[in-house]
Amino acid sequence: MADNNNILTLKGVHFSYNDNREILSDINFYLPKGELLGIIGPNGSGKTTLLNVISGILKPKKGEISLLNQNLNNLPIEQIAKFISVVPQDTWVTFDFKAKEVVFMGRLPYISRLKGETLEDYQISREAMKKTHSLSLSENNIQEISGGERQRVFMAKALAQTPQLLLLDEFTSHLDLNYKYEMLNLLKKALEKEGLTIISVFHDLNLASIISHRLLLLNEGKIEKIGAPQEVLTEEIIQKAYGVRPILINHPALKVPQVIM
Amino acid sequence: MNKPLTEIAGYTNWRKKLILMLLIGSLSILGVSLICLNFGVVSINPKEIISLLLGGTQDKTKNLIIWQLRAPRIVLGVITGAALSTVGGAFQGILRNPLADPYILGVSAGAALGACIGIALQHATGYLFASYLPLFAFIGAMFSLYLVYQSSKITYSANSTGLLLAGVAITFLFSALITILLAISRKELQSMVFWLMGDLSAANWKKISIITLPAMIGCLLLFFSSLDLNALSLGEEEALHLGINTGKLRIRIFLIGSIIIASVVSFTGLIGFVGLVIPHIARLLVGPDHRIMLPASAFLGGIFLILCDVLARTVIAPTEIPIGAITAIIGAPLFIYLLRRKNK
């Protein structure tokens, strides 16, 4: 595939902390625009580390990451923040900010510290809250809303950042079934209508299988398999990565593999 | 501050809120200052004060008391209270720790050691260095800041835990040296104790002219980092994802804050509790947005400190109580009350 269509390319990426034990080794993949790539893998396989390397927070020890044909390591984080936004797995806010103030922080990469924000920044924030059904929470104290509500607010913040690439770290973990469903619909819309590209870490293999175009299975810091859900979620591959033998069935409506115990 | 504020797209217009707050703050400071001018050993009635302020020089002694004793003391109090509270608020933001105060990096211990050495030398050399005492304190403060920064680099590559631990260690070390100085001093003891508890009584216009500039520029620079401080309350990683270079931000805030504090405490001594409590009160009144909260802290801190100073010089007049004792006596119960209220 030509490089130009790929929003993100990783070539031979290695990462380790100071103790030199490799957390990620030889990661190679590309991500075309408009795709949702699901990252799965057992605990400690390096999923979150991979997200942090892609978002530029952690610098790889070896290898090259290019974001829109630019070397990520040469981009200052002020610039990266205009392309990539992240919804973290857990959030902890120090002071009593209102939900709408948290969403507005998504505009920070665009706001001059001397001139301040414009009307557009407010409108984009508000639009993001509408999309994530969090507008009714605007005036609430971020510390006093439920985990699921907070997750929606942080999703709104990430959308307010108007990214090209959205990184999600197990973002559905605190969501009830109805909101999980709504968020998935929201993501689908974002993919189809707004041309957003998404990488999401999933704990839930079945959810990952339903929504992802491709899955990337990490095991001990290496890519065990990358491909369509049918190619990745097979009995042998899952047993190799997770050490248990699952039963696989086909989703009756969506025709994607589902893992049951 | 219940007046309805114009909203833009569902957001409070913070600029209008800020202007309103600046207005209310300035008027309150002016009002409280005028009231505080009335308190002192010599009683001067309010009418006389107003005519003195307006330039009617009927009484030279009273003119001197108002213009050379009480007014500079109030102005120094306002600047000191404002600086301590703004820096306290910024430090709480950068450390994501509501218990941080302006002295958390050991600047206070350095300034105190410098000042105590200065006081000891004064007595030994027959007051040769008397007017250089603030310089001793400032050099002490900068020295401790340098030590804290260097030792944190050795252990934790200058992240906030490393800085805090180094700050604690240097504070203990310097406090021990101060204790030794106090133990071997005789005549100097009272001056040292007074310095350690803070004292506005030696205020004069020259001192004010020296500290105004660093305090004002410093606080303004902190104010322009407000949005970054807001983002940091979402966490270190979140702030990075929003394109904020948290490492640089931390160094900038700590350095600016510590220089402000060093220049102020060099003249006033260690006034405690203001920088810890006032930002909390400001947050309760105007919310956590640093763009509003920091200026609000400055005003509240200024008002709080001149009120404490009035108590310090009137409670058992003509004897003065160190102002640091008053701020702690009032500040500690207030702080506990606020914490209780918040955790309900």
Side-chain angles (χ1 to χ4, degrees):
Chain A
M1 189 170 284
D3 251 14
N4 296 346
N5 295 328
N6 294 336
I7 201 160
L8 184 79
T9 313
L10 275 77
K11 282 181 193 155
V13 168
H14 289 253
F15 179 81
S16 59
Y17 289 102
N18 294 331
D19 59 3
N20 290 326
R21 186 174 59 90
E22 285 220 321
I23 311 284
L24 295 174
S25 45
D26 198 26
I27 304 290
N28 293 286
F29 70 90
Y30 60 87
L31 188 64
K33 193 170 164 56
E35 184 180 292
L36 195 160
L37 176 71
I39 299 180
I40 53 174
N43 292 331
S45 57
K47 302 186 293 283
T48 302
T49 308
L50 180 57
L51 276 196
N52 285 339
V53 167
I54 294 169
S55 69
I57 286 191
L58 298 175
K59 300 280 170 232
K61 288 281 133 79
K62 258 194 282 177
E64 198 181 296
I65 303 175
S66 55
L67 174 70
L68 296 160
N69 297 320
Q70 283 175 290
N71 188 340
L72 188 80
N73 281 339
N74 298 338
L75 283 176
I77 60 165
E78 296 87 338
Q79 282 299 318
I80 297 175
K82 291 181 185 174
F83 295 117
I84 300 180
S85 72
V86 182
V87 180
Q89 189 178 354
D90 291 304
T91 51
W92 177 59
V93 182
T94 322
F95 301 113
D96 297 328
F97 282 98
K98 288 178 183 170
K100 64 176 184 183
E101 293 173 317
V102 171
V103 175
F104 171 72
M105 289 181 199
R107 298 305 299 160
L108 287 186
Y110 304 95
I111 296 174
S112 146
R113 297 299 187 264
L114 282 174
K115 289 179 196 153
E117 66 271 27
T118 62
L119 180 59
E120 202 195 354
D121 293 312
Y122 291 128
Q123 285 163 341
I124 292 171
S125 309
R126 207 171 160 76
E127 201 51 44
M129 278 192 279
K130 268 187 202 155
K131 281 183 199 161
T132 53
H133 305 279
S134 56
L135 203 56
S136 59
L137 302 168
S138 337
E139 299 296 324
N140 290 42
N141 180 345
I142 191 76
Q143 309 208 37
E144 287 167 4
I145 59 180
S146 73
E149 291 171 329
R150 187 190 275 232
Q151 208 71 341
R152 275 145 61 205
V153 170
F154 272 82
M155 179 66 100
K157 194 217 69 175
L159 293 180
Q161 214 173 325
T162 56
Q164 308 218 19
L165 175 60
L166 178 63
L167 304 182
L168 309 169
D169 195 353
E170 295 188 21
F171 76 104
T172 53
S173 54
H174 298 285
L175 293 179
D176 288 337
L177 196 61
N178 53 334
Y179 282 119
K180 221 177 246 190
Y181 184 76
E182 267 181 20
M183 278 297 151
L184 293 182
N185 277 335
L186 171 83
L187 289 185
K188 274 185 189 160
K189 257 190 224 165
L191 287 164
E192 287 158 13
K193 291 190 182 163
E194 295 167 33
L196 201 64
T197 309
I198 301 173
I199 299 180
S200 178
V201 167
F202 286 102
H203 200 63
D204 182 342
L205 299 180
N206 295 333
L207 194 67
S209 172
I210 288 172
I211 188 154
S212 308
H213 296 113
R214 281 191 302 159
L215 290 178
L216 187 162
L217 174 61
L218 270 183
N219 188 20
E220 292 175 350
K222 295 186 186 77
I223 296 182
E224 188 72 48
K225 181 81 183 170
I226 180 166
Q230 290 85 347
E231 295 164 13
V232 177
L233 296 179
T234 67
E235 281 181 20
E236 302 124 77
I237 293 175
I238 291 176
Q239 187 173 22
K240 198 175 171 206
Y242 289 87
V244 287
R245 193 159 187 90
I247 298 167
L248 284 161
I249 56 168
N250 218 5
H251 193 290
L254 301 165
K255 310 293 175 207
V256 289
Q258 295 287 287
V259 181
I260 56 172
M261 282 295 138
Chain B
M1 231 157 268
N2 292 321
K3 209 180 142 190
L5 293 154
T6 334
E7 292 206 336
I8 320 172
Y11 280 85
T12 313
N13 186 340
W14 73 274
R15 291 185 183 90
K16 286 196 175 169
K17 196 173 172 185
L18 179 66
I19 290 168
L20 187 69
M21 207 259 315
L22 291 177
L23 217 70
I24 294 174
S26 319
L27 287 176
S28 319
I29 288 230
L30 209 67
V32 175
S33 305
L34 279 174
I35 294 165
C36 290
L37 274 176
N38 289 294
F39 293 94
V41 183
V42 181
S43 72
I44 307 174
N45 66 47
K47 265 188 194 168
E48 275 181 284
I49 288 178
I50 289 169
S51 77
L52 280 167
L53 287 176
L54 294 175
T57 47
Q58 306 96 327
D59 188 326
K60 273 200 174 163
T61 323
K62 284 179 179 172
N63 199 28
L64 198 74
I65 289 173
I66 293 295
W67 281 109
Q68 297 305 324
L69 290 175
R70 290 187 195 171
R73 196 164 169 161
I74 286 169
V75 174
L76 186 67
V78 169
I79 295 172
T80 307
L84 287 170
S85 309
T86 309
V87 175
F91 278 13
Q92 286 169 6
I94 196 82
L95 291 166
R96 306 185 70 203
N97 184 344
L99 289 175
D101 79 353
Y103 301 141
I104 201 151
L105 290 188
V107 172
S108 54
L113 184 64
C116 287
I117 291 173
I119 292 167
L121 283 179
Q122 271 180 36
H123 287 265
T125 58
Y127 298 93
L128 192 63
F129 302 115
S131 57
Y132 293 106
L133 188 56
L135 192 64
F136 276 92
F138 188 77
I139 292 170
M142 286 296 114
F143 180 59
S144 70
L145 189 64
Y146 173 77
L147 282 184
V148 165
Y149 183 65
Q150 289 301 331
S151 21
S152 80
K153 273 212 295 202
I154 297 168
T155 51
Y156 282 85
S157 63
N159 70 14
S160 46
T161 318
L163 282 166
L164 287 181
L165 289 176
V168 169
I170 298 293
T171 303
F172 270 109
L173 174 69
F174 281 19
S175 302
L177 297 176
I178 293 166
T179 311
I180 294 172
L181 269 180
L182 287 174
I184 58 173
S185 63
R186 302 202 190 287
K187 281 177 288 181
E188 312 92 308
L189 189 65
Q190 207 201 355
S191 336
M192 286 185 187
V193 169
F194 250 78
W195 197 94
L196 290 175
M197 292 300 287
D199 183 14
L200 294 176
S201 66
N204 61 43
W205 293 112
K206 195 182 163 204
K207 290 180 181 175
I208 290 166
S209 69
I210 295 173
I211 66 166
T212 305
L213 211 59
M216 274 180 69
I217 293 175
C219 289
L220 216 60
L221 288 173
L222 292 180
F223 172 75
F224 281 112
S225 297
S226 294
L227 283 176
D228 305 280
L229 290 173
N230 285 353
L232 206 67
S233 57
L234 303 184
E236 178 94 20
E237 285 193 359
E238 274 297 277
L240 286 166
H241 290 145
L242 290 170
I244 290 154
N245 191 329
T246 52
K248 275 188 193 163
L249 177 70
R250 200 164 23 238
I251 300 295
R252 191 168 80 221
I253 300 285
F254 279 142
L255 203 66
I256 295 170
S258 299
I259 290 174
I260 297 174
I261 293 308
S263 36
V264 170
V265 301
S266 298
F267 289 101
T268 62
L270 302 182
I271 300 173
F273 249 91
V274 185
L276 175 66
V277 186
I278 296 296
H280 286 269
I281 300 175
R283 251 181 241 114
L284 286 176
L285 288 175
V286 300
D289 185 345
H290 288 84
R291 293 177 297 185
I292 311 287
M293 190 281 267
L294 288 180
S297 296
F299 283 119
L300 288 170
I303 292 171
F304 178 73
L305 204 63
I306 50 180
L307 288 176
C308 286
D309 188 47
V310 166
L311 286 179
R313 57 198 163 94
T314 52
V315 170
I316 47 167
T319 308
E320 278 207 19
I321 306 169
I323 188 168
I326 301 283
T327 54
I329 288 169
I330 296 177
L334 189 68
F335 192 47
I336 291 165
Y337 166 74
L338 289 174
L339 286 181
R340 265 184 66 104
R341 222 185 73 152
K342 220 193 139 200
N343 292 334
K344 253 181 202 167

